[in-house]
Amino acid sequence: MSEPVLQVEGLRKAFGGVIAVDTVSFEVAAGRLFAIIGPNGAGKSTCFNMVGGQLLPDAGRVQLAGQDITGLPPRRIWRLGVGRTFQVAATFTAMTVVENVQMAFISHRRRLRALLPTARKLYRAEAMAVLERVGMADQAERQCGLLAYGDIKRVELAIALAHEPRLLLMDEPTAGMAPKERIALMALTADIVRERGISVLFTEHDMDVVFAHADTLLVLDRGRTVATGTPDAVRDNPEVQRIYLGGSGVEAAQRAMEARA
Amino acid sequence: MLRRHLLIAGAALLAAGTAIAPSVTPAQAQESVKVGELFSYARMAAFADPYRKGWQLAVEEINASGGVLGGKTLEIVSRDDGGTTADAVRVADELVTNEGVEFLFGTFFSNVGLAVGDYAKQRRVLFIAAEPLTDALTMAQGNRYTFRMRPNTYMQTKMLVEAGRESGAKTWAIVAPNYEYGQSAAANFKALLAEMDPEAEVVVEQYPALGKIDAGATTQAILGANPDGIFNATFAGDQAKLVREGQLRGLFEGRTVLSLLTGEPEYLAPMGAETPEGWIVTGYPWEQIDTPEHLAFVEAYQAKYDDFPRLASLLGYSIPYVIKEMLDKAGSTDTEAMVDALKGLEVETPTGPVTMRAIDHQATMGAWVGRLTVEDGQGKMVDWYYADGADFAHTPEAVKAVRPAE
Amino acid sequence: MDPAFFFIQFLSGLASASNLFLIACGLTIIFGVTRIVNFAHGSFYMLGAYLAYTLTAQLMPILGDVVGFWLAIPLAAAAVGLLAVLMELLLLRRIYHSHELFQLLATFGVVLIVQDLVQTVWGPEELFGPRAPGFTSFVVIFGFRFPEYQLVLIAAGPLVLGAIWLLFNRTRWGNLVRAATQDREMVGALGVNQARLFTGVLFLGGFLAGLAGALQLPVEPANPFMDVNIIAEAFVVTVIGGMGNVLGAFLAALIIAQLQAFGILVFPQITLVLPFLVMALVLVVRPWGLLGKPETTTSHGFAGDRPLRPLGRTQQLLIAGTVAILLLLPLVLGEYGQKLALEVFVYALLAFSLNFIMGAGGMVSFGHAAYFGLGGYGAALLVHHLGFGMEIALLAAPLFAGLGALLFGWFVVRLSGVYFAMLTLAFAQIVWSTAFQWVELTGGDNGMIGIWPSDWASDRTVYYYLSLLVCGAAIAFLWRASHAPFGYTLRAGRDSTLRADAIGIDLKRHQWLAFALAGTCAGVAGSVFVFSKGNIDPGSLAIPTSVDALVMVLLGGIQTLTGPLVGGAVFHLLEAQILPLTDYWRALLGAAILVLVIAFPMGIAGFLRDKLLPDDDRGDDQREAAARGAAEKGRAEAPT
């Protein structure tokens, strides 16, 4: 196996007296989908935001392909090839769908401060190609703020894919969507990243989604690592079953694994 | 929804339309001399209203007794100058280029007066400033086309300094609003004081922001320096706060107070029984001046408006008479002829004869200097005398030193 | 010096602090719950003093001095509270769904109307109220006399603070107010009648402002300048304390008043700038005031924002037609008409440059006049002190403004929302007071005169074309920049700071550059303006000029590029038409603003756009949904 794309060591964050993430370490291998799961308040989002640069860790180290990125601002991390989607989709609501993606290209090619060219005409073909891939080409000219939520999520994915990242950070990619849409979006994501060899770190509530697509799982509870490993191993871990999955969770995991097989 | 928008918009337009009824003194059928007038009517209503009543009365009188230039009517086109230089210059331009007035008079604020004066110079239009007090208007930034009616800051300060000579006060406090008028009053005071009594010194200076005096702290700051005398240039609300606070804290006890403008009815009347006794002030004891010209003015004013005249009324009333004399002397409305006529022109006003000094275009209209007292719950000037502006204006040497040659 | 003297000075400071606190606490409560930046708060304060004057005059003869006076004070306060409720019911309630700025604009309209109303009812001269019965004399403290009534004022601040604390912590209504201050949506979700809550809050805020004004009557005569004299300081105190935080307002009032009381002992001239200096320092160090909380929104978009579209055939023809008309206009316009028209160009550019950061960048500046004025002063100084001609001045002065914007911009882009606005205001006031007090350089408040065009351009028509060319070029450049990646990046940051950051945009730096660019273009407007009127004075960079620019943008419509141009033209022509002809121009202007705010919540250009060029994509409910979505998204995006 090649060098891990993302290496997290001893990550720690406290808010006031409450320790949100307590010495968490993990590695995301190239081309793999890595999921962080855990009940509410387990520290998933905090962990995530420390990797993405939105939060500064109290201790620990984040390395991207061997390069230390701990504490870098999100924009720098993005430039190093990390795409990002948010729990609540963040897009440029007053722009069209295609302009949203064009912005990522404009930024990637470092033309943000150009004063004279017409932005709408820049990298349009490239942006359309990405939209085509996520199935949003037919809505390219619509205002992003007016889309259905599931479609906004697809746009976000397209934005995140624009600069051909080696790592995608997806915080609850399917939150707020109907069950059918969730499966579809995650299947789409999985297809794209596998065909392009992109690694993915994601958090997720929906066990169907997690067990259907993740290669490796990390289970957090109250900031601590409970278990880590393949879906099979995690599903069978008695402690995970006790504190987190419960009976119904195990069933869901079982169902998803069968569907995948 | 749309219909409601349109209804509202229509109503607004209607309201605006009816409001834009021009406030032009009705022109008679015969020929008239059209004169532009601008003043900060909305922003300075306390001063502007009596001022307008004054000039309207005079214009009426002049037109009733034969008009100007051998039978022409004097027609005043009056405008609000907005109180800012940006608005005032545009309004002046509208009067000159749109209304085609022969010349301009009016304005309240010093900066507005200077801006309109500069416009007058640029466009070669005559401008008679009414109220602006800044020395600069007739001194460092004076020009051929600009004249001024009121005694300037220097003249009024000089009147007070001389009136305070008797007091023998050696240490002085200055309290003045933090803008050009206050600062130049303070600077004039310091210079004139040093001239009059080289041993006297200013020991404390306070410059509260206009309209925002922190009266307690200011009073205390002056008390801390324990001066023999106080020179005050604050007015209106600031002065009122200073008076109340100062009286309670004993600021004025045993101290000479010289105060600019406080004796003017505009500021004196509202103070009523709280008028600070013993202050030496410049002002206008309208009810006590008994020259025939002045009595006639007061009688006509009260008959027409059922109100007592303020200093602004007197000022406003005097200007049309200056205009009439100027026109009759010039014999036409040619600007250069009018300017030449104004230089050294002598006019009878309720104040007595007033000369428009040729050397700096400053009128010799004076002010009354006296002591304040309270009588029947009203403030009053006593022991007053008329200080003729001619005796207090800048010396020819001073004028030559700073006023640009024509 | 004598320690007793300092103690007395300290007491005097406490008394002014009370007054400042009383007015600021109502303002901060209203803001906390309704998010309305209430310009009319100063008007409430002034009305409190006038009503107290009338009521004391009526009641004291009937009920005796003591009862009459001390009854009149709360009655006046309550009456002002009711007037505030009236404003809420008749005006604010109609525009709660508009952008916050529109509410601000509406309260500004109320200010103008109340100014004329007060003069009509009570006359223009100041009115001395009675001294407070029971507190007409002084006490002796360490050998110094101290007015009894000042002690009453000193006590009033903490008493009101305590009463508000009880109200907020011991009553259900107070709890709701506190909850709403922290999270408005949550209270809505709890099923609380939001409209009624707002009405109540307006009453409380109006009551407190009225109380402050009424209590001021024994100290200061009621006069028609009380509103403008207090409002800026009231905002300063509110912002330093942290918007929405009552205790913060109390602390801020103490700090300002004490610095003022002791500052004048050392620097008597500091009175003009001190509060703004303190505000700037506090905001640079603490971007949300002393006790304020960070704003959680990461989106600063406006309801009704749409994607920029390339100009259609009709629009291109329209623009070409307009340009042709402007080129031919001198043939039909007289000299005055040309002057008016070239002023419209200047204001259109001023508004357009403001909207470049405001509409596209979501950065609402209350101090844009600073850069307009710096451009004007730059030109005037070059001509006046260095003897350069108009040509050099027109080229160099905008850079002067740009440098100012670059300097101040570095600080302001670190802030957002109302705090951003207030820091821009503070810097503008600092520039203003510098121009005002540096008499040797700038001529002080008299300003500089004799700044006329070079001979070849002194003809009115020539200068008309020059203005058209210069302002037109600047507008065209900004228009271009709006459609270029630079403008798009700005819009991206406005729509979502989170997403912008996550695609590699250094937003602060970008906003900084945009701020400087907008400042430079405002400087172009300022330098063209100064040569058109021949003089410059501090009024050009004072608050009213900033407010005018804001009004132009909002009138025209913040969501469209043409909006500020239309707004600048309409506002200036309206003002130029009605101002000179009536003493009541302020009330008329105020009424016009209210009509426009209610009838055209998207601004004039926004209204026309929605009527004439409907987006087939969107119905009304969809648009609202989009606006709601944007607002919710903004909150949810906050880091958790």
Side-chain angles (χ1 to χ4, degrees):
Chain A
M1 209 182 207
S2 60
E3 185 196 14
V5 168
L6 184 72
Q7 248 181 317
V8 172
E9 287 168 24
L11 215 50
R12 199 182 130 89
K13 180 82 190 174
F15 295 106
V18 185
I19 297 171
V21 172
D22 193 359
T23 352
V24 169
S25 305
F26 58 88
E27 284 183 2
V28 179
R32 296 307 179 96
L33 278 79
F34 187 105
I36 304 178
I37 61 169
N40 278 331
K44 301 187 297 284
S45 284
T46 306
C47 202
F48 221 80
N49 285 331
M50 284 190 283
V51 174
Q54 279 83 13
L55 275 179
L56 196 67
D58 295 340
R61 217 149 70 107
V62 182
Q63 282 180 292
L64 186 72
Q67 186 184 351
D68 190 351
I69 60 163
T70 322
L72 288 185
R75 62 174 189 277
R76 300 272 304 278
I77 293 176
W78 178 83
R79 293 226 177 264
L80 295 171
V82 180
R84 176 82 151 97
T85 69
F86 294 93
Q87 189 172 344
V88 179
T91 57
F92 308 128
T93 44
M95 292 188 194
T96 62
V97 167
V98 65
E99 285 168 352
N100 265 273
V101 185
Q102 283 171 281
M103 275 314 297
F105 280 103
I106 289 171
S107 179
H108 184 49
R109 308 278 163 86
R110 298 186 180 270
R111 297 194 64 183
L112 290 169
R113 289 180 197 153
L115 281 164
L116 296 175
T118 303
R120 162 184 339 107
K121 293 179 182 161
L122 295 176
Y123 314 114
R124 201 184 145 81
E126 292 93 321
M128 286 306 294
V130 183
L131 285 176
E132 193 76 51
R133 185 64 189 87
V134 301
M136 286 295 294
D138 53 334
Q139 301 201 60
E141 291 305 329
R142 290 191 68 200
Q143 181 174 347
C144 203
L146 299 178
L147 298 180
Y149 193 65
D151 290 339
I152 294 181
K153 285 280 195 179
R154 283 167 190 266
V155 176
E156 232 199 349
L157 180 62
I159 297 172
L161 289 171
H163 73 320
E164 291 171 13
R166 46 183 153 184
L167 175 66
L168 263 186
L169 300 179
M170 305 180 81
D171 194 1
E172 302 212 10
T174 66
M177 300 171 69
K180 233 181 184 171
E181 284 183 303
R182 293 181 180 189
I183 305 284
L185 179 73
M186 218 46 217
L188 174 69
T189 308
D191 283 352
I192 295 174
V193 297
R194 290 197 197 284
E195 86 195 19
R196 301 188 180 185
I198 302 171
S199 311
V200 179
L201 175 68
F202 70 108
T203 66
E204 187 53 68
H205 265 302
D206 187 328
M207 286 306 124
D208 289 330
V209 169
V210 171
F211 284 92
H213 297 291
D215 298 311
T216 314
L217 267 66
L218 171 74
V219 186
L220 287 182
D221 184 38
R222 277 174 255 167
R224 290 169 173 280
T225 308
V226 174
T228 178
T230 62
D232 281 324
V234 166
R235 187 192 47 196
D236 295 338
N237 183 318
E239 202 184 348
V240 173
Q241 292 188 352
R242 186 175 55 79
I243 63 161
Y244 178 60
L245 289 169
S248 61
V250 177
E251 275 168 35
Q254 193 63 47
R255 208 166 53 237
M257 298 287 283
E258 278 160 12
R260 192 173 172 182
Chain B
M1 198 60 187
L2 178 61
R3 230 180 66 195
R4 206 185 72 201
H5 288 321
L6 290 178
L7 267 178
I8 296 171
L13 280 178
L14 206 67
T18 46
I20 305 176
S23 57
V24 175
T25 312
Q28 257 68 64
Q30 77 259 42
E31 269 194 275
S32 64
V33 174
K34 214 166 164 186
V35 180
E37 191 277 340
L38 65 168
F39 206 82
S40 305
Y41 285 107
R43 275 187 63 188
M44 286 291 142
F47 199 94
D49 196 46
Y51 157 82
R52 175 162 47 199
K53 284 177 174 161
W55 66 252
Q56 281 179 337
L57 174 63
V59 168
E60 228 169 70
E61 287 175 3
I62 289 169
N63 285 338
S65 59
V68 292
L69 286 177
K72 288 186 185 173
T73 315
L74 196 55
E75 179 190 339
I76 313 286
V77 186
S78 175
R79 296 280 190 265
D80 194 311
D81 68 15
T84 68
T85 56
D87 288 326
V89 173
R90 184 187 61 248
V91 169
D93 193 55
E94 191 260 343
L95 286 168
V96 171
T97 57
N98 238 21
E99 290 291 340
V101 300
E102 306 292 348
F103 60 94
L104 299 166
F105 76 94
T107 75
F108 179 89
F109 294 104
S110 285
N111 56 350
V112 173
L114 282 170
V116 175
D118 190 48
Y119 169 84
K121 176 188 172 193
Q122 176 79 0
R123 303 281 306 191
R124 294 167 196 263
V125 178
L126 170 64
F127 167 54
I128 304 172
E131 167 67 16
L133 289 174
T134 181
D135 299 341
L137 189 63
T138 48
M139 295 290 282
Q141 303 187 331
N143 64 59
R144 172 172 166 81
Y145 298 93
T146 303
F147 293 77
R148 185 226 321 260
M149 206 50 206
R150 263 201 92 169
N152 57 38
T153 312
Y154 173 82
M155 293 161 75
Q156 303 211 35
T157 309
K158 194 173 181 186
M159 292 171 192
L160 276 183
V161 169
E162 295 202 353
R165 187 193 288 273
E166 307 277 286
S167 74
K170 291 291 178 202
T171 54
W172 287 87
I174 294 176
V175 51
N178 201 349
Y179 73 106
E180 200 269 349
Y181 157 70
Q183 283 153 2
S184 77
N188 281 327
F189 178 78
K190 282 193 254 183
L192 289 163
L193 186 69
E195 230 169 76
M196 185 186 77
D197 181 358
E199 284 167 37
E201 58 170 337
V202 172
V203 291
V204 58
E205 296 169 59
Q206 282 296 307
Y207 297 98
L210 179 63
K212 299 178 187 175
I213 192 171
D214 188 345
T218 304
T219 303
Q220 207 61 27
I222 299 172
L223 278 172
N226 194 21
D228 299 335
I230 298 168
F231 173 69
N232 170 49
T234 66
F235 57 93
D238 286 333
Q239 175 175 276
K241 283 167 90 173
L242 187 69
V243 165
R244 278 201 169 172
E245 201 65 28
Q247 280 177 341
L248 284 176
R249 298 192 191 219
L251 177 62
F252 311 124
E253 286 167 21
R255 294 198 172 91
T256 305
V257 181
L258 304 178
S259 187
L260 281 173
L261 316 183
T262 312
E264 294 174 6
E266 285 87 337
Y267 307 121
L268 194 58
M271 284 200 280
E274 308 214 17
T275 302
E277 297 201 52
W279 284 24
I280 299 167
V281 300
T282 61
Y284 173 42
W286 66 274
E287 76 288 1
Q288 304 173 59
I289 302 168
D290 54 4
T291 60
E293 317 84 83
H294 188 264
L295 285 175
F297 158 67
V298 171
E299 194 183 328
Y301 190 89
Q302 289 189 310
K304 184 168 164 68
Y305 300 115
D306 194 24
D307 192 4
F308 63 90
R310 318 297 203 271
L311 181 70
S313 319
L314 180 66
L315 180 71
Y317 181 82
S318 303
I319 292 175
Y321 279 99
V322 171
I323 290 170
K324 175 182 158 53
E325 292 299 322
M326 170 192 79
L327 287 172
D328 289 350
K329 183 174 161 196
S332 78
T333 53
D334 173 70
T335 298
E336 302 304 326
M338 289 192 294
V339 169
D340 290 334
L342 258 182
K343 282 172 176 282
L345 183 75
E346 196 175 309
V347 186
E348 285 301 322
T349 71
T351 330
V354 167
T355 307
M356 203 50 97
R357 294 182 4 143
I359 184 170
D360 62 355
H361 296 191
Q362 167 68 50
T364 62
M365 184 180 183
W368 289 266
V369 181
R371 207 159 40 77
L372 291 183
T373 189
V374 179
E375 212 177 272
D376 302 329
Q378 278 304 316
K380 190 178 171 187
M381 279 174 78
V382 291
D383 302 336
W384 53 265
Y385 54 91
Y386 179 68
D388 191 330
D391 303 332
F392 294 89
H394 287 98
T395 60
E397 296 75 45
V399 173
K400 280 198 192 98
V402 299
R403 188 179 159 95
E406 273 175 22
Chain C
M1 223 186 263
D2 186 2
F5 171 79
F6 286 113
F7 182 71
I8 297 296
Q9 199 69 352
F10 175 71
L11 285 184
S12 301
L14 283 185
S16 336
S18 267
N19 181 43
L20 275 178
F21 167 67
L22 285 185
I23 170 130
C25 72
L27 191 62
T28 212
I29 291 170
I30 291 178
F31 177 83
V33 177
T34 66
R35 299 286 150 187
I36 290 175
V37 176
N38 180 24
F39 265 130
H41 211 68
S43 310
F44 293 165
Y45 170 81
M46 174 165 72
L47 284 168
Y50 272 105
L51 286 167
Y53 173 84
T54 301
L55 284 168
T56 49
Q58 296 296 318
L59 295 180
M60 284 169 77
I62 307 173
L63 302 171
D65 280 359
V66 177
V67 179
F69 181 87
W70 291 107
L71 187 64
I73 299 296
L75 278 180
V80 175
L82 290 177
L83 288 172
V85 167
L86 205 65
M87 179 175 92
E88 200 270 339
L89 292 178
L90 295 181
L91 179 63
L92 300 182
R93 190 162 284 197
R94 293 169 193 275
I95 52 174
Y96 276 136
H97 295 295
S98 310
H99 188 266
E100 283 162 12
L101 280 174
F102 257 74
Q103 297 154 4
L104 175 153
L105 185 58
T107 63
F108 177 66
V110 172
V111 171
L112 293 174
I113 293 172
V114 170
Q115 278 180 340
D116 277 352
L117 190 75
V118 161
Q119 291 204 12
T120 310
V121 174
W122 282 283
E125 288 184 350
E126 62 231 39
L127 301 173
F128 274 63
R131 293 185 191 235
F135 303 94
T136 55
S137 188
F138 57 85
V139 292
V140 176
I141 302 173
F142 298 137
F144 282 100
R145 292 189 197 172
F146 195 78
E148 291 168 340
Y149 189 70
Q150 296 288 326
L151 292 174
V152 174
L153 289 182
I154 291 174
L159 280 176
V160 167
L161 181 65
I164 292 175
W165 188 86
L166 283 177
L167 182 69
F168 281 10
N169 288 282
R170 294 290 148 82
T171 66
R172 186 182 129 71
W173 186 81
N175 275 323
L176 280 179
V177 170
R178 270 197 315 153
T181 305
Q182 272 147 25
D183 187 347
R184 248 203 305 179
E185 310 305 313
M186 191 187 78
V187 175
L190 289 176
V192 175
N193 184 336
Q194 187 164 301
R196 205 184 300 162
L197 183 70
F198 282 15
T199 311
V201 163
L202 256 295
F203 178 81
L204 179 64
F207 180 89
L208 289 167
L211 184 66
L215 283 175
Q216 193 65 4
L217 189 63
V219 179
E220 179 181 9
N223 65 76
F225 304 103
M226 292 178 87
D227 54 347
V228 288
N229 284 340
I230 199 75
I231 189 66
E233 262 85 347
F235 272 114
V236 166
V237 167
T238 308
V239 167
I240 291 178
M243 302 283 291
N245 191 302
V246 175
L247 187 63
F250 188 78
L251 288 178
L254 266 183
I255 291 170
I256 293 282
Q258 292 299 353
L259 282 175
Q260 190 91 261
F262 287 98
I264 60 170
L265 297 176
V266 192
F267 307 109
Q269 305 261 21
I270 203 168
T271 43
L272 290 180
V273 72
L274 184 100
F276 299 98
L277 217 51
V278 176
M279 177 162 81
L281 286 174
V282 167
L283 287 184
V284 166
V285 180
R286 292 188 63 93
W288 297 283
L290 293 175
L291 299 183
K293 294 218 178 66
E295 290 191 0
T296 51
T297 174
T298 63
S299 167
H300 297 95
F302 303 92
D305 278 331
R306 285 199 210 165
L308 285 178
R309 300 279 186 204
L311 294 175
R313 173 66 52 190
T314 333
Q315 287 152 303
Q316 281 173 350
L317 283 175
L318 220 62
I319 287 177
T322 310
V323 171
I325 290 173
L326 292 179
L327 285 172
L328 296 174
L329 215 48
L331 298 179
V332 288
L333 283 182
E335 278 199 277
Y336 175 66
Q338 291 178 35
K339 184 176 183 81
L340 207 55
L342 75 86
E343 287 184 2
V344 165
F345 303 154
V346 167
Y347 285 118
L349 173 57
L350 176 65
F352 199 82
S353 67
L354 175 59
N355 199 38
F356 188 68
I357 50 172
M358 205 163 120
M363 300 183 278
V364 179
S365 170
F366 284 3
H368 205 53
Y371 312 103
F372 180 72
L374 277 176
Y377 268 101
L381 289 171
L382 285 169
V383 171
H384 211 267
H385 289 295
L386 300 175
F388 285 107
M390 175 193 76
E391 299 80 3
I392 303 281
L394 279 183
L395 284 173
L399 299 178
F400 190 61
L403 281 178
L406 211 55
L407 173 67
F408 296 133
W410 193 82
F411 294 98
V412 297
V413 296
R414 265 135 255 279
L415 276 55
S416 63
V418 176
Y419 295 99
F420 176 96
M422 293 308 287
L423 190 57
T424 54
L425 175 77
F427 283 134
Q429 283 300 92
I430 289 169
V431 174
W432 172 80
S433 61
T434 306
F436 199 97
Q437 290 194 316
W438 196 346
V439 179
E440 300 76 29
L441 186 74
T442 63
D445 51 320
N446 274 350
M448 283 180 275
I449 57 175
I451 323 293
W452 295 102
S454 301
D455 286 342
W456 65 268
S458 64
D459 178 75
R460 186 66 59 84
T461 308
V462 174
Y463 199 71
Y464 171 93
Y465 283 118
L466 186 65
S467 309
L468 180 59
L469 179 73
V470 174
C471 296
I475 289 170
F477 170 70
L478 282 180
W479 185 289
R480 191 83 218 134
S482 303
H483 284 275
F486 191 92
Y488 267 63
T489 306
L490 208 52
R491 285 159 54 84
R494 174 199 70 189
D495 282 357
S496 173
T497 52
L498 203 55
R499 171 50 66 200
D501 204 14
I503 60 165
I505 295 173
D506 186 348
L507 189 59
K508 292 292 163 226
R509 182 163 292 249
H510 202 84
Q511 288 178 329
W512 181 40
L513 294 174
F515 192 84
L517 195 62
T520 309
C521 289
V524 172
S527 55
V528 171
F529 192 57
V530 73
F531 286 105
S532 82
K533 71 187 187 104
N535 64 76
I536 181 109
D537 67 49
S540 62
L541 30 72
I543 296 175
T545 308
S546 290
V547 172
D548 282 357
L550 210 56
V551 170
M552 291 171 198
V553 170
L554 294 172
L555 276 188
I558 196 164
Q559 302 92 343
T560 52
L561 280 180
T562 39
L565 304 178
V566 174
V570 168
F571 181 79
H572 189 61
L573 292 176
L574 203 63
E575 197 190 7
Q577 275 309 307
I578 65 179
L579 178 141
L581 295 176
T582 159
D583 292 2
Y584 298 101
W585 56 268
R586 290 179 301 194
L588 278 170
L589 204 58
I593 288 175
L594 293 191
V595 168
L596 288 163
V597 164
I598 291 174
F600 307 110
M602 294 277 167
I604 300 167
F607 173 82
L608 291 176
R609 177 196 68 177
D610 287 353
K611 288 295 159 210
L612 303 178
L613 306 161
D615 228 295
D616 33 43
D617 202 20
R618 103 191 25 225
D620 267 280
D621 43 0
Q622 244 179 323
R623 191 172 309 137
E624 270 172 34
R628 220 173 29 244
E632 279 162 13
K633 179 181 62 65
R635 248 179 304 283
E637 271 178 4
T640 48

